[in-house]
Amino acid sequence: MNKPQWIIVHHEAPPVTTNSPRFGVVNEYHKLKGFPKSSLGYFCGYHLFIEKSGLVWKAREDFDIGAHTIGYNDKSLGVCLAGNFDIEMPTEAQKTALRSVLKEKTIQYGILPLNIVPHRKFSQKTCYGSKLPDTWAADLLTKEEKISVLQSVLNSLWKTLQALMGKR
């Protein structure tokens, strides 16, 4: 059972740029690599996949263990963007879709903005691309959205503390 504490952002990193839909290609590649099938029936190791058009594919339920970052698959949500950000930039549609996903999932799971990271934080890769700084994904959230997440986390901690104090 996955218990998300991190959002790990990836890029697909095909060797050439293309605007064609990529989810099916990635799903088939992951099937050939022997990735486990999700409860939704996909082999794609990411929980979410964002096409260049901004279309978001749900490949795994949030509670499904991912297959995207060794050592973190049971405590993270993997989000992959189509494209190779070593040679191109994400589209505006991808940025809008990713921001929406980040806003929803950080509040839903109390994930701190500091825990929105590129894959390269946990692996010897450039992923999510050398053209993007480490804080690129987290910086898509506005200051107000980040404060909202922090308030949500603090409220949850406060309720937990009150419950613990009441059990004394």
Side-chain angles (χ1 to χ4, degrees):
M1 167 84 73
N2 187 29
K3 297 186 180 189
Q5 302 165 24
W6 298 87
I7 298 175
I8 302 174
V9 184
H10 304 255
H11 68 156
E12 175 202 2
V16 296
T17 60
T18 178
N19 288 323
S20 63
R22 301 296 297 168
F23 177 76
V25 174
V26 170
N27 188 60
E28 187 60 30
Y29 177 72
H30 286 186
K31 180 180 179 180
L32 293 172
K33 297 284 277 182
F35 284 30
K37 189 186 281 190
S38 75
S39 65
L40 299 174
Y42 295 110
F43 293 93
C44 180
Y46 312 109
H47 292 85
L48 301 168
F49 186 90
I50 303 174
E51 298 280 7
K52 287 187 175 184
S53 67
L55 174 68
V56 179
W57 286 90
K58 185 173 189 174
R60 294 178 180 268
E61 292 288 358
D62 293 354
F63 59 79
D64 284 338
I65 293 176
H68 57 86
T69 305
I70 295 170
Y72 288 83
N73 288 317
D74 63 347
K75 56 183 152 258
S76 66
L77 297 173
V79 181
C80 183
L81 283 75
N84 184 339
F85 309 133
D86 287 330
I87 57 176
E88 62 184 321
M89 296 297 283
T91 66
E92 288 301 316
Q94 284 178 308
K95 290 192 275 188
T96 299
L98 179 58
R99 180 176 170 261
S100 178
V101 165
L102 296 176
K103 183 178 174 182
E104 175 189 344
K105 299 302 180 184
T106 53
I107 290 172
Q108 182 177 356
Y109 295 108
I111 298 172
L112 296 172
L114 290 172
N115 285 7
I116 301 170
V117 296
H119 182 213
R120 64 178 169 246
K121 178 169 177 71
F122 304 114
S123 180
Q124 295 295 317
K125 300 180 182 241
T126 63
C127 187
Y128 47 56
S130 58
K131 288 191 167 281
L132 302 174
D134 285 355
T135 62
W136 173 80
D139 289 345
L140 293 173
L141 295 173
T142 65
K143 180 179 177 181
E144 291 76 19
E145 290 165 342
K146 290 176 183 177
I147 289 170
S148 177
V149 171
L150 292 173
Q151 287 173 329
S152 174
V153 169
L154 288 173
N155 286 339
S156 177
L157 289 171
W158 178 247
K159 287 177 185 175
T160 301
L161 180 61
Q162 286 178 317
L164 289 172
M165 297 298 283
K167 291 181 180 180
R168 288 184 145 201

